[in-house]
Amino acid sequence: MNVFLLLIGLFVALVVIIPLIEKSGARVSNETTNKVARLIWPLVMASLVISLIYQLTR
């Protein structure tokens, strides 16, 4: 039941947030995109390592 509530909440958030972002017309520069792209893989790896440690110590 909690999963369905979570999915409904995420769907409602997307329905509200996406039109707001499109109306704002904010553009992101290539430099900003590159900075964020460089951060994604280290954050994913850190998340995986933390999850692995959590699973091993549980």
Side-chain angles (χ1 to χ4, degrees):
M1 187 65 184
N2 288 337
V3 173
F4 292 120
L5 292 174
L6 181 64
L7 289 174
I8 290 170
L10 289 172
F11 181 74
V12 169
L14 284 175
V15 168
V16 170
I17 292 173
I18 289 176
L20 289 175
I21 291 173
E22 289 176 351
K23 285 181 185 176
S24 72
R27 298 288 174 223
V28 180
S29 69
N30 287 337
E31 290 179 6
T32 306
T33 305
N34 289 336
K35 287 179 185 177
V36 172
R38 276 187 260 142
L39 290 175
I40 289 175
W41 282 112
L43 290 174
V44 168
M45 290 301 149
S47 173
L48 288 173
V49 169
I50 291 169
S51 177
L52 178 65
I53 292 169
Y54 177 75
Q55 291 296 324
L56 289 173
T57 59
R58 206 172 72 165

